[in-house]
Amino acid sequence: MKKFQFKQKRHFVTAVCLLVGLMVLTTSVYANYDNANGYSNYKSAVKNLLLSTDNVTIDGEFGFYLDGELMGAAEMGGKFAKNGASTYEKETDKDGLVSYERQTFSGKDSYVSYNPQNNTYYSYENRSYEMSSGNFLGVDMDDEMSQRLIRFMELSADLVVGDLKNNVVLTSEDESSLEYSIAVSRNQMPEIINAGLSLIFGSMNQSYDNRGGIYYEDWMASFDAFAEKEFGVDFNHDPWTDEGEFDVEASGYDTEEEYWDAYDEIQNAQWEYYDSIYEDYGHEGVVYVKADNSYDYYETYEEYSKAVYSSDIDEYDMYLMFGNEPYIENAKMTAKISKSGELLGNSIEVTLAGYDKNGEKHTATFKGEATLKDYGTTTPDVFDPEGKEQE
């Protein structure tokens, strides 16, 4: 295999999904200490799930919308027990096409990862699974420092909540469960949330403005092209056998050390070559090296991003869309809790809003829903290798 491999990656806009989800989980859901004990009941149910549960089934669905258009969705969950687990993950793009899918099966002495997209799997023997601490977070509840940390997090949430104490309402009740809901608008959001958003987006946008350099469409492909053109060397193959041994004849060198010396020499020469080109442009803007070793120059990172990612939304583009002062426009959540204190369901919807440099408003909405069941009676699925190819 080759010594280095660099790839220019485009990130799916997960930053806002994580951010707004955390905002609600740590603020608006922790509200109202008095209304039917909504706050204390919900907090106790979450703590029970994370810190005391070692057997449960969880299923979740999530979606991310930009200006009302679905950009991507995901399904994930699993069956968890103390000495075993089976999980699944599935991500789809805005057209509903599966972009990633995986299933795992863990037991006392084995681990299997299965890819339904190509019907292949790999496995490890003697790789045990165990909730040694008896909970999802792996926190030792007998440890004094862990107890202090949990207490600190609880008090921090209470402090941030501020005036949101009157927003949680009991919406339904039956013989076995309670359901609470909360809806929060922009003017009800604690100022610390808006200040945090301003800090994050402002710093990201500033780094975007200063972002420049040498970017590669496919670093390995351009390296191979450079090596062949400038040095007459073919690095476009791996000089290793299936057993991982270095093949001198296939490498074209007398020793592995000579091979790597040549590799490093060409890599340094490639860097110096494009750095000299970048220097000619005053080390500003972006030099974009293509797979065939040709290049394009862009005066700003924004020009480069729009040209290269014209059919997609780059992570930095999204930050620019919301400017330096985005805000939570609205947030709502429902939680279903059993009367024995178990979290049975949780749904959340949060919309982030902001204005780009042209004054145009944009919104990003995160929607998520989870169901939890079979506390104490869950049995993880067992992998069936029949008809599947082992890697």
Side-chain angles (χ1 to χ4, degrees):
M1 57 185 214
K2 297 192 175 178
K3 191 174 182 181
F4 296 98
Q5 184 170 5
F6 301 104
K7 293 183 179 180
Q8 178 66 25
K9 296 183 178 179
R10 288 175 293 177
H11 301 288
F12 180 65
V13 285
T14 56
V16 167
C17 291
L18 294 173
L19 180 63
V20 297
L22 285 172
M23 293 306 174
V24 169
L25 287 176
T26 58
T27 58
S28 54
V29 296
Y30 291 153
N32 191 4
Y33 195 87
D34 300 313
N35 188 346
N37 294 317
Y39 170 79
S40 58
N41 286 346
Y42 180 79
K43 184 167 67 172
S44 295
V46 173
K47 289 176 61 178
N48 174 63
L49 172 66
L50 298 179
L51 302 174
S52 303
T53 299
D54 60 12
N55 187 289
V56 67
T57 298
I58 305 175
D59 297 294
E61 297 181 356
F62 310 91
F64 179 77
Y65 300 78
L66 190 61
D67 290 337
E69 179 183 357
L70 177 66
M71 302 304 296
E75 301 174 12
M76 60 185 66
K79 299 178 179 180
F80 303 91
K82 187 172 184 179
N83 295 315
S86 57
T87 69
Y88 67 91
E89 301 173 65
K90 182 179 180 180
E91 297 178 9
T92 54
D93 61 20
K94 60 184 180 181
D95 297 317
L97 300 177
V98 177
S99 57
Y100 175 79
E101 189 171 8
R102 186 179 72 148
Q103 299 173 11
T104 67
F105 305 83
S106 305
K108 294 181 64 176
D109 301 308
S110 65
Y111 171 86
V112 178
S113 177
Y114 170 58
N115 183 346
Q117 291 177 282
N118 58 20
N119 199 36
T120 63
Y121 71 94
Y122 61 86
S123 62
Y124 296 101
E125 297 296 329
N126 301 317
R127 178 174 171 179
S128 63
Y129 172 92
E130 182 180 5
M131 290 190 192
S132 57
S133 299
N135 59 63
F136 279 99
L137 294 186
V139 175
D140 182 0
M141 295 305 295
D142 294 327
D143 178 66
E144 182 179 354
M145 292 305 296
S146 296
Q147 295 175 9
R148 291 180 179 179
L149 175 61
I150 293 170
R151 180 58 177 162
F152 173 78
M153 293 175 66
E154 288 188 54
L155 292 176
S156 298
D158 294 342
L159 181 63
V160 172
V161 156
D163 296 330
L164 294 180
K165 293 182 179 180
N166 299 317
N167 291 80
V168 169
V169 294
L170 179 65
T171 54
S172 66
E173 179 180 5
D174 56 32
E175 294 181 356
S176 61
S177 65
L178 302 165
E179 185 170 296
Y180 297 95
S181 68
I182 180 174
V184 182
S185 60
R186 176 184 181 182
N187 59 4
Q188 294 171 307
M189 275 291 163
E191 184 58 31
I192 191 173
I193 301 299
N194 293 329
L197 288 169
S198 177
L199 174 63
I200 293 172
F201 277 75
S203 61
M204 290 298 294
N205 288 334
Q206 184 179 39
S207 66
Y208 180 102
D209 293 337
N210 298 330
R211 192 176 171 105
I214 303 170
Y215 291 83
Y216 293 87
E217 178 182 20
D218 185 327
W219 186 86
M220 287 306 306
S222 62
F223 173 83
D224 292 336
F226 184 86
E228 185 172 357
K229 179 181 179 181
E230 302 296 331
F231 288 80
V233 176
D234 179 16
F235 273 99
N236 192 25
H237 65 278
D238 287 333
W240 274 269
T241 65
D242 293 338
E243 291 75 29
E245 297 178 355
F246 185 77
D247 188 335
V248 172
E249 183 176 351
S251 73
Y253 293 87
D254 293 334
T255 65
E256 182 177 356
E257 183 178 2
E258 289 184 10
Y259 174 86
W260 285 123
D261 286 344
Y263 192 99
D264 291 338
E265 179 185 1
I266 296 172
Q267 181 177 252
N268 291 334
Q270 183 192 29
W271 168 253
E272 291 175 358
Y273 176 77
Y274 284 108
D275 186 56
S276 65
I277 293 175
Y278 191 44
E279 185 177 10
D280 291 339
Y281 290 106
H283 283 122
E284 294 181 353
V286 172
V287 172
Y288 179 57
V289 183
K290 299 181 180 179
D292 63 1
N293 223 37
S294 62
Y295 73 91
D296 290 329
Y297 175 73
Y298 301 94
E299 292 186 357
T300 66
Y301 184 88
E302 184 175 2
E303 290 181 4
Y304 153 74
S305 180
K306 289 180 178 179
V308 175
Y309 304 135
S310 57
S311 61
D312 247 332
I313 294 176
D314 181 68
E315 180 182 5
Y316 280 85
D317 281 339
M318 195 203 70
Y319 282 100
L320 287 177
M321 288 174 64
F322 292 89
N324 295 332
E325 300 293 338
Y327 56 91
I328 301 296
E329 189 169 63
N330 55 68
K332 55 184 178 181
M333 187 205 76
T334 62
K336 188 175 183 179
I337 305 168
S338 72
K339 289 189 174 179
S340 58
E342 297 164 337
L343 184 64
L344 303 177
N346 222 158
S347 66
I348 180 175
E349 180 176 332
V350 183
T351 297
L352 179 80
Y355 294 85
D356 62 23
K357 62 182 181 181
N358 297 319
E360 182 178 354
K361 181 180 179 180
H362 297 280
T363 60
T365 300
F366 171 83
K367 297 181 181 180
E369 183 172 0
T371 58
L372 303 93
K373 60 183 180 181
D374 297 337
Y375 282 86
T377 61
T378 289
T379 300
D381 296 326
V382 177
F383 179 68
D384 180 8
E386 184 70 27
K388 304 174 180 66
E389 181 181 353
Q390 184 173 10
E391 293 184 349

